[in-house]
């Protein structure tokens, strides 16, 4: 299958770029067993501007995406690129043990735990300069696109050939090998809050735009929204909900994804409706349940755990009051927010200390 795909299509150099690529190279590969890959974080990617302005950290969703992509390439190589469609269907027990900073090398290892007729289960881990920072268990599904999407009869050939070229570009010994391209999308994965009830729940939305760089060429020809970014949307909504419950006095960081189940694909023009509920708040962190629907139909269900970062553990610039105020302004928290009793949500007192000359924090 691989040989057939490789001879049917030719692409200009720019066409093989996977702009959402989270690996520079595949360093070890045993089809049917394991794959190792890595990426050097240069700090040039635009998402570091938002995550976070004065304390750049690789988003946990992208660490997860790196583990997903390693597993996808292992599945494709084991399957000899027989199926053009490969899709994440479930995440389990995703744990984040540390931060990944610009200048570090992210190494990812994926191993096949179970291989089935249409699905496979993988155990994965990620390391930053040799130190463990994340681990996950996940299930991926492989399929023929024409069977799943009969209206796109040529998708198998087109996507299969594109994915093969992208895979070959990850070989560090191959002539013309190049690192993952710099990305220029901002790290904002909800468009707005529609409801926000302090200490209880929030509703938000995100519309899939084909002009978004993360969507463009993530899945060639299909315009699919990356599954990891749905988790990030949940994390952004849930993080604001958990942090606001403490008057934004606590720094909140995604610590674990208990489980995430994907029921369908989100494509161009779809509006994902998020419902995030704060189900537990403790001294060390908080837990939320999150769902996404599209046109009233189930899309994704997930459980997320957040940790409170104690003072002194990280730099004081990490999630500063200015950053939190900017997020609330951007997503209109105080325009729609209410208390549990239905009264209008009052601006956090912490924000009274914010320097209004900071261009990131517009006046209300």
């Amino acid at each position: 299958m691989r040989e057939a795909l490789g001879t049917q299509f030719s692409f200009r150099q720019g066409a093989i770029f996977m702009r959402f690529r989270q690996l520079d190279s595949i360093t070890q590969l045993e089809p049917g067993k394991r794959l190792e890959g890595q990426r050097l974080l240069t700090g040039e990617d635009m998402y570091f501007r938002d995550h976070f302005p004065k304390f750049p950290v690789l988003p946990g969703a992208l660490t997860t995406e790196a583990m997903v992509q390693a597993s996808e390439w292992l599945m494709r190589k084991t399957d000899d690129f027989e199926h053009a469609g490969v899709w994440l269907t479930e995440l389990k027990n995703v744990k984040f043990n540390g931060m990944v900073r610009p200048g570090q090398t992210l190494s990812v290892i994926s191993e096949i735990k179970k291989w089935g007729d249409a699905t496979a289960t993988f155990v994965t881990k990620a390391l930053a300069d040799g130190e463990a920072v994340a681990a996950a268990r996940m299930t991926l599904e492989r399929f023929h696109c024409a069977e799943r999407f009969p209206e796109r009869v040529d998708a198998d050939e087109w996507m299969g050939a594109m994915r093969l070229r992208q895979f070959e570009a990850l070989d560090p010994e191959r002539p013309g090998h190049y690192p993952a391209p710099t990305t220029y999308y901002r790290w904002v994965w909800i468009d707005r809050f529609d409801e926000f009830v302090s200490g209880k729940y929030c509703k938000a939305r995100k519309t899939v735009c084909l002009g978004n760089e993360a969507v463009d060429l993530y899945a060639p020809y299909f315009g699919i929204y990356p599954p990891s970014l749905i988790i990030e949307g949940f994390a952004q909504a849930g993080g604001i909900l958990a942090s606001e419950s403490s008057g934004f006095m606590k720094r909140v960081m995604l610590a674990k994804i208990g489980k995430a189940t994907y029921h369908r694909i989100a494509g161009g023009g779809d509006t994902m409706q998020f419902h995030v509920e704060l189900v537990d708040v403790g001294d060390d962190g908080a837990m939320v349940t999150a769902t996404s629907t599209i046109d009233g139909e189930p899309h994704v269900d997930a459980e997320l755990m957040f940790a409170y970062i104690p003072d002194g553990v990280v730099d004081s610039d990490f999630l500063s009051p200015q950053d939190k105020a900017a997020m609330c302004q951007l997503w209109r928290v105080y325009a729609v927010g209410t208390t549990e009793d239905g009264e209008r949500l009052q601006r956090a007192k912490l924000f009274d200390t914010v320097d209004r000359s900071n261009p990131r924090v517009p006046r209300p």
Side-chain angles (χ1 to χ4, degrees):
M1 182 65 173
R2 174 174 176 167
E3 288 74 10
L5 287 173
T7 59
Q8 289 184 39
F9 291 83
S10 62
F11 298 91
R12 65 186 187 278
Q13 176 66 19
I16 65 172
F17 277 91
M18 183 177 180
R19 299 177 194 172
F20 198 63
R21 203 174 93 196
Q22 301 307 314
L23 296 176
D24 287 333
S25 62
I26 293 173
T27 54
Q28 293 186 31
L29 175 59
E30 297 179 67
K33 293 184 178 180
R34 73 195 302 270
L35 178 148
E36 294 187 22
Q38 65 180 25
R39 181 183 181 189
L40 173 63
L41 299 175
T42 65
E44 296 178 357
D45 295 283
M46 184 66 78
Y47 51 74
F48 284 121
R49 176 179 173 183
D50 297 295
H51 198 277
F52 297 94
K54 298 180 181 179
F55 194 89
V57 178
L58 182 69
L62 291 187
T63 304
T64 304
E65 180 63 27
M67 294 187 286
V68 172
Q69 290 185 14
S71 301
E72 176 185 343
W73 293 126
L74 179 55
M75 172 178 265
R76 290 187 183 278
K77 183 63 176 176
T78 300
D79 192 46
D80 194 28
F81 288 83
E82 180 66 27
H83 296 82
V86 174
W87 186 246
L88 175 68
T89 60
E90 186 176 70
L91 289 169
K92 279 187 177 181
N93 205 28
V94 184
K95 297 180 180 179
F96 302 101
N97 306 317
M99 298 181 182
V100 188
R101 304 294 306 279
Q104 292 187 306
T105 296
L106 179 70
S107 300
V108 178
I109 300 172
S110 176
E111 297 180 343
I112 295 176
K113 185 71 173 179
K114 181 180 179 181
W115 187 269
D117 292 337
T119 63
T121 301
F122 301 83
V123 290
T124 64
K125 60 182 177 180
L127 304 93
D129 289 346
E131 296 292 329
V133 293
R137 184 184 179 100
M138 62 189 66
T139 301
L140 275 66
E141 178 187 17
R142 60 193 186 279
F143 54 89
H144 293 296
C145 296
E147 295 176 358
R148 187 72 58 86
F149 306 99
E151 71 279 7
R152 302 181 181 185
V153 294
D154 59 342
D156 285 297
E157 289 184 336
W158 203 97
M159 183 181 287
M162 179 72 84
R163 282 297 196 231
L164 177 58
R165 295 299 179 90
Q166 291 171 342
F167 174 79
E168 291 174 343
L170 292 172
D171 181 357
E173 302 300 325
R174 183 175 184 269
H177 168 75
Y178 58 90
T182 300
T183 52
Y184 296 98
Y185 48 82
R186 297 290 301 275
W187 199 246
V188 180
W189 301 110
I190 57 176
D191 291 333
R192 75 181 193 197
F193 283 107
D194 294 315
E195 294 182 37
F196 191 101
V197 180
S198 178
K200 291 295 182 179
Y201 72 89
C202 64
K203 294 182 179 181
R205 68 176 66 190
K206 178 65 181 178
T207 298
V208 180
C209 175
L210 293 179
N212 185 291
E213 187 177 13
V215 177
D216 179 36
L217 288 185
Y218 174 72
Y221 188 79
F222 275 82
I224 292 173
Y225 194 79
S228 59
L229 295 187
I230 301 164
I231 297 298
E232 181 62 28
F234 288 163
Q236 291 184 356
I240 290 289
L241 186 64
S243 187
E244 192 281 330
S245 68
S246 71
F248 289 101
M249 296 300 295
K250 295 182 178 180
R251 295 185 174 98
V252 176
M253 193 78 172
L254 179 63
K256 181 179 179 181
I257 305 167
K259 183 178 180 180
T261 303
Y262 296 83
H263 303 288
R264 56 161 290 181
I265 288 171
D270 286 336
T271 296
M272 299 175 287
Q273 302 283 353
F274 296 165
H275 182 105
V276 181
E277 184 174 352
L278 190 62
V279 296
D280 186 40
V281 178
D283 294 334
D284 299 324
M287 175 180 175
V288 303
T289 57
T291 61
S292 172
T293 59
I294 298 175
D295 296 331
E297 297 181 356
H299 174 215
V300 182
D301 306 315
E303 297 175 354
L304 279 65
M305 277 68 81
F306 297 90
Y308 296 144
I309 308 300
D311 292 337
V313 174
V314 295
D315 191 286
S316 60
D317 285 332
F318 176 69
L319 284 176
S320 66
Q322 285 87 349
D323 296 336
K324 295 175 183 177
M327 293 176 188
C328 289
Q329 293 282 3
L330 178 66
W331 287 321
R332 303 169 59 246
V333 170
Y334 292 107
V336 301
T338 65
T339 66
E340 187 177 354
D341 296 329
E343 298 181 0
R344 183 172 179 175
L345 191 63
Q346 298 299 307
R347 180 180 170 83
K349 293 182 179 180
L350 174 68
F351 294 165
D352 293 339
T353 65
V354 170
D355 179 6
R356 287 292 169 189
S357 65
N358 185 340
R360 283 181 51 81
V361 188
R363 293 183 180 276

